[in-house]
Amino acid sequence: MIKKMIPTYFYKSVYDVDYKMLYENGIRLILTDLDNTLISYKETLPNDKLFELKKYIEDMGFEFILVSNSKKSRVDNFAKAYNIPYVKFSMKPLKRGIKKAIKKVAKGKYTKDQIVIFGDQIMTDIFGAGRCGIKSVLIEAIDKSTDIGPTRFNRKLERFFLKRIKKKYPNEYNLKLKEYGDKDDTKKM
Ligand SMILES: [Mg+2]
């Protein structure tokens, strides 16, 4: 089970992702998380940098869809302002919301190996991707101090599973999670 929590890639932010590499690896659909992946909980609307990024991604030939676990109106407001198709209350790591994004919103145009999920949480975004058998990009949270209750709990679980992954899959840990997992940021929470 914990193997499904190992991301395919790790990047410090959505701006650091190697999009050319993803494209060359056949990825065409990016399903992105919202909170602490695109904006922090303190922000509500996309900034200029995010608009530039979206244009860059779409010009390259990717389809970009938002998949958020939040059911709040902030998701609707952000998605409308950013002009991005979306699924809210997606219940990651359950497959339901991810499948909805792939089948309904992206109209089933892509096979699993053409899809990647971006997110800042191992317990929801990365595990959800792993359970669906699709690739994932772990993004360092923009501002963990803004995490809300359930996410704080997930971060604790995350620390626990990171240790287990490190022990059981040391090579994969060193390759994909060392930079993320070895950083002790629990004090900031
Ligand atoms: Mg998030």
Side-chain angles (χ1 to χ4, degrees):
M1 181 187 101
I2 59 170
K3 202 152 196 201
K4 292 179 179 163
M5 295 178 186
I6 302 173
T8 318
Y9 311 99
F10 166 69
Y11 289 100
K12 288 206 156 178
S13 79
V14 286
Y15 308 104
D16 295 302
V17 173
D18 187 347
Y19 292 97
K20 283 203 178 103
M21 178 277 292
L22 291 181
Y23 195 88
E24 280 161 12
N25 278 293
I27 301 295
R28 295 296 180 269
L29 172 63
I30 298 171
L31 303 178
T32 183
D33 174 50
L34 173 64
D35 290 312
N36 259 338
T37 298
L38 295 185
I39 55 170
S40 81
Y41 285 95
K42 281 180 196 158
E43 299 162 288
T44 53
L45 293 172
N47 52 39
D48 290 347
K49 220 176 154 188
L50 272 181
F51 278 110
E52 277 168 37
L53 179 76
K54 183 169 180 275
K55 187 176 183 321
Y56 174 79
I57 288 173
E58 290 179 342
D59 284 354
M60 205 179 255
F62 293 104
E63 191 161 343
F64 200 34
I65 294 172
L66 184 70
V67 181
S68 174
N69 271 5
S70 171
K71 47 184 170 182
K72 293 179 187 156
S73 57
R74 71 186 250 104
V75 183
D76 306 273
N77 295 338
F78 177 92
K80 274 168 202 153
Y82 201 33
N83 193 23
I84 187 171
Y86 68 105
V87 173
K88 66 191 275 196
F89 196 31
S90 67
M91 301 181 79
K92 292 171 285 185
L94 299 186
K95 295 176 186 172
R96 201 178 74 181
I98 297 168
K99 276 189 178 164
K100 188 178 172 190
I102 296 169
K103 288 187 180 164
K104 285 194 184 160
V105 186
K107 302 183 176 66
K109 279 176 284 182
Y110 307 96
T111 56
K112 279 182 180 180
D113 55 352
Q114 292 180 302
I115 306 167
V116 70
I117 290 187
F118 283 14
D120 67 298
Q121 282 196 67
I122 291 177
M123 302 317 300
T124 56
D125 308 307
I126 307 306
F127 190 36
R131 295 186 71 222
C132 290
I134 60 184
K135 294 187 186 83
S136 59
V137 172
L138 177 64
I139 303 284
E140 197 166 298
I142 297 169
D143 184 358
K144 274 188 189 168
S145 71
T146 65
D147 277 344
I148 50 169
T151 305
R152 281 171 182 256
F153 175 71
N154 278 335
R155 297 276 181 219
K156 288 203 174 103
L157 277 179
E158 188 175 295
R159 301 305 305 177
F160 172 78
F161 282 110
L162 276 167
K163 279 182 200 149
R164 304 251 332 246
I165 294 167
K166 191 176 181 176
K167 209 170 168 188
K168 203 169 174 198
Y169 303 101
N171 292 341
E172 293 216 50
Y173 181 89
N174 285 334
L175 205 65
K176 295 161 179 173
L177 284 165
K178 194 174 170 38
E179 195 185 350
Y180 179 79
D182 283 2
K183 202 172 66 181
D184 184 18
D185 50 11
T186 46
K187 288 182 196 95
K188 272 195 280 174
M189 288 172 64

